[in-house]
Amino acid sequence: MKIWYGIFALSISILGLTLALFFVNNYFYPMSYKYEILEVSSRYNVDAALIASVINVESGFDKAARSNKGAIGLMQLMPSTAEWICKMRGVEYEESKLFEPQFNIKVGTMYLNYLIAQFDSVENAILAYNAGYGNVKAWLANSEISDGKTVTTIPFEETRYYIIKINKNLHYYKKKYK
């Protein structure tokens, strides 16, 4: 009888731990808007795991997020940047739509696609998504912090942490978006 009690207790403990891990993972790595992410990933040739990572780091999947600098929605887009990329890609723009998940993810992914093409590098595109296109162009031109293709020393502390968080999220989301 003691053996059965021990096996039962062990089984309950394993089940509890499994459930706890499930809830912790879902808390730190939400899988919201998976359909929308997969759709724009395919359309704009941007890794779905990267899109989910950016959303998680930028807004924690909060569609109503607004930064103190004025960035809006899931992918924390500046309205001026969103308007510019929409105009460039022939997409009708309305600032209030940046709070709509499908539109925000589409515009943010269009912008990521543009940055990846401009820099011919996902890492530099991520740097530019956080620190700005002009800053990354200047960093790449500075031989003290770059070899011309890769920024070896990121001048902004916020951007250094941003890259670390994106890569951590990317590692997780790559498993989920196989």
Side-chain angles (χ1 to χ4, degrees), residues 12-25:
I12 294 297
S13 297
I14 290 171
L15 179 62
L17 182 59
T18 302
L19 285 172
L21 286 173
F22 173 79
F23 288 115
V24 166
N25 276 340

Side-chain angles (χ1 to χ4, degrees), residues 95-155:
E95 186 173 322
S96 64
K97 289 176 70 176
L98 289 175
F99 289 108
E100 296 174 11
Q102 188 169 7
F103 185 75
N104 190 284
I105 294 168
K106 176 182 176 178
V107 175
T109 302
M110 288 188 314
Y111 187 54
L112 275 173
N113 171 273
Y114 169 81
L115 292 172
I116 291 167
Q118 290 298 302
F119 290 108
D120 197 28
S121 159
V122 172
E123 185 168 320
N124 289 337
I126 295 167
L127 288 173
Y129 197 91
N130 179 261
Y133 178 88
N135 285 323
V136 175
K137 278 296 223 190
W139 297 346
L140 289 168
N142 182 341
S143 62
E144 292 180 15
I145 62 171
S146 169
D147 63 9
K149 293 185 186 252
T150 305
V151 177
T152 54
T153 305
I154 302 169

Side-chain angles (χ1 to χ4, degrees), residues 29-96:
Y29 303 103
M31 289 296 295
S32 305
Y33 310 110
K34 187 173 183 177
Y35 173 78
E36 291 86 347
I37 290 169
L38 288 170
E39 182 184 331
V40 297
S41 168
S42 175
R43 183 184 305 164
Y44 297 105
N45 196 29
V46 175
D47 184 5
L50 177 61
I51 298 166
S53 297
V54 168
I55 292 171
N56 196 12
V57 171
E58 289 287 348
S59 70
F61 283 85
D62 177 4
K63 68 181 182 179
R66 183 183 285 269
S67 78
N68 58 0
K69 293 181 181 178
I72 295 174
L74 291 169
M75 295 188 77
Q76 287 294 277
L77 295 160
M78 293 300 289
S80 58
T81 302
E83 184 175 20
W84 172 80
I85 196 71
C86 283
K87 185 176 183 179
M88 187 170 110
R89 297 283 174 101
V91 173
E92 188 176 320
Y93 174 77
E94 187 177 319
E95 186 173 322
S96 64

